[in-house]
Amino acid sequence: MEPIKIVADSAADLTALDGVDFAFAPLKIVTAEREFVDTAALDVREMTDFLARYKGRSSTACPNVDDWLAAFGEAEAVIAITITGGLSGSYNAALTAKQVYEERHPDRRVHVMDSLSAGPEITLHIERMREMILAGRTFDEIVSSFSDYKTELLFVLESLHNFANNGRVSRAAAAAAGVLGIRALGRASAEGTLELLAKPRGEAKSLAAVLANMEKYGCQGGQVLISHCFAADTAERLAEKIRTAYPTATVRTHPCRGLCSFYAEQGGLLIGYEV
């Protein structure tokens, strides 16, 4: 089996990966008062509580070139995947790290993928990489296969406070979310940007809207991964609805780490699925 290392940034919501060589480069959540580094040691609850109270501007900082090089380690072959370049400079930093690494080690290879997404959609791609590595597929086979592996990401958020503080949406749009139970339903567009689709009111209408848009955007009943920001019960209710609608689907839930919690905020769901 060819020794291949998978590397991601922390938008993948993974700190470890069984069965293969894996590392991640942490993003940072930055305010004028505090900085949170998205490592395994981060207290996500403390971070989200602080940000919910914080009135100033908040932003994210991508891993720098040295962070990526540290994650590459001494691997002979690396496949790296990043959060969408539409939200972060992580992809560009990883590309620069690839150039530096291959100049230092001409006999080694790095391939960098822009996920055009975040959270569970990235995780699905990483899990696909792991399956192929364990099946003995080569570096070139794995890299070429991902043009045929299609996934989508939907999200339903109770708050857009951090998106507004980060300049990603207008204050007016953020003010509407959360008022009288209104949520923001959206998707990661084909260009890797935030695309708002609807403003359902209440949990029942929000989950129904998720199911409707999963069908609209190609769900066929494969792998589905729901990430939640301190909303385990809501995530499981959605999972049950998906299992009912798609009996062949494999549906899992798990909590967001730091970067995804920054964007999802408390109560938010991110839904990645195969199409």
Side-chain angles (χ1 to χ4, degrees), residues 5 8 23 37 44 101 108 120 136 147 149 151 167 212 214 234 272:
K5 185 174 188 177
V37 183
V44 179
Y101 194 76
R108 301 179 187 179
S147 61
Y149 185 60
T151 55
M214 287 180 69
T234 307

Side-chain angles (χ1 to χ4, degrees), residues 26 35 79 85 99 134 155 158 170 212 221 250:
E35 178 179 279
I79 301 176
Q99 180 180 354
L134 294 177
F155 56 84
E158 294 187 6
S170 69
T250 300

Side-chain angles (χ1 to χ4, degrees), residues 27-31 34-38 42 47 51 58-61 258-259 262:
L27 288 104
K28 297 177 182 178
I29 296 88
V30 181
T31 74
R34 296 187 64 180
E35 178 179 279
F36 302 90
V37 183
D38 193 10
L42 175 65
M47 183 196 79
L51 291 171
S58 55
S59 63
T60 60
L259 189 281
F262 172 75

Side-chain angles (χ1 to χ4, degrees), residues 11-13 82-84 87 115-123 153 188 259-260 263 270 272:
D13 271 343
T82 76
I83 187 174
T84 174
L87 290 178
S115 72
L116 301 175
S117 190
E121 189 174 3
I122 301 178
T123 307
L153 180 77
L259 189 281
C260 287
Y263 283 118
L270 308 174

Side-chain angles (χ1 to χ4, degrees), residues 29-245:
I29 296 88
V30 181
T31 74
E33 296 180 12
R34 296 187 64 180
E35 178 179 279
F36 302 90
V37 183
D38 193 10
T39 66
L42 175 65
D43 186 330
V44 179
R45 171 65 80 178
E46 180 190 10
M47 183 196 79
T48 56
D49 286 347
F50 171 83
L51 291 171
R53 300 188 305 267
Y54 186 66
K55 303 301 183 184
R57 181 173 173 80
S58 55
S59 63
T60 60
C62 69
N64 60 34
V65 172
D66 287 339
D67 294 329
W68 280 108
L69 289 172
F72 295 167
E74 294 298 326
E76 294 180 20
V78 174
I79 301 176
I81 185 167
T82 76
I83 187 174
T84 174
L87 290 178
S88 170
S90 189
Y91 176 66
N92 288 333
L95 284 178
T96 302
K98 162 188 163 68
Q99 180 180 354
V100 172
Y101 194 76
E102 291 179 339
E103 287 174 353
R104 292 177 181 174
H105 308 287
D107 58 332
R108 301 179 187 179
R109 294 187 291 174
V110 178
H111 178 76
V112 180
M113 298 169 53
D114 182 346
S115 72
L116 301 175
S117 190
E121 189 174 3
I122 301 178
T123 307
L124 291 176
H125 281 264
I126 290 172
E127 291 175 344
R128 169 89 166 188
M129 292 176 201
R130 176 175 62 183
E131 290 175 7
M132 297 185 74
I133 290 170
L134 294 177
R137 305 291 291 274
T138 68
F139 180 92
D140 290 333
E141 287 173 333
I142 295 170
V143 168
S144 64
S145 75
F146 277 88
S147 61
D148 299 321
Y149 185 60
K150 304 300 183 183
T151 55
E152 282 280 343
L153 180 77
L154 295 173
F155 56 84
V156 57
L157 309 181
E158 294 187 6
S159 170
L160 294 175
H161 173 80
N162 291 339
F163 270 112
N165 281 354
N166 197 23
R168 302 296 182 186
V169 299
S170 69
R171 294 282 180 183
V179 176
L180 299 176
I182 293 175
R183 270 83 161 169
L185 173 71
R187 67 187 285 258
S189 73
E191 296 75 33
T193 57
L194 173 71
E195 181 182 346
L196 292 176
L197 300 173
K199 297 177 182 178
R201 177 171 292 173
E203 180 181 298
K205 290 182 178 179
S206 296
L207 300 189
V210 169
L211 285 168
N213 279 279
M214 287 180 69
E215 180 179 7
K216 178 179 179 179
Y217 292 106
C219 184
Q220 299 294 319
Q223 294 286 333
V224 181
L225 183 57
I226 304 169
S227 299
H228 65 86
C229 183
F230 301 107
D233 291 345
T234 307
E236 189 53 42
R237 285 190 285 273
L238 175 59
E240 285 302 313
K241 290 181 181 296
I242 295 170
R243 293 181 186 114
T244 299

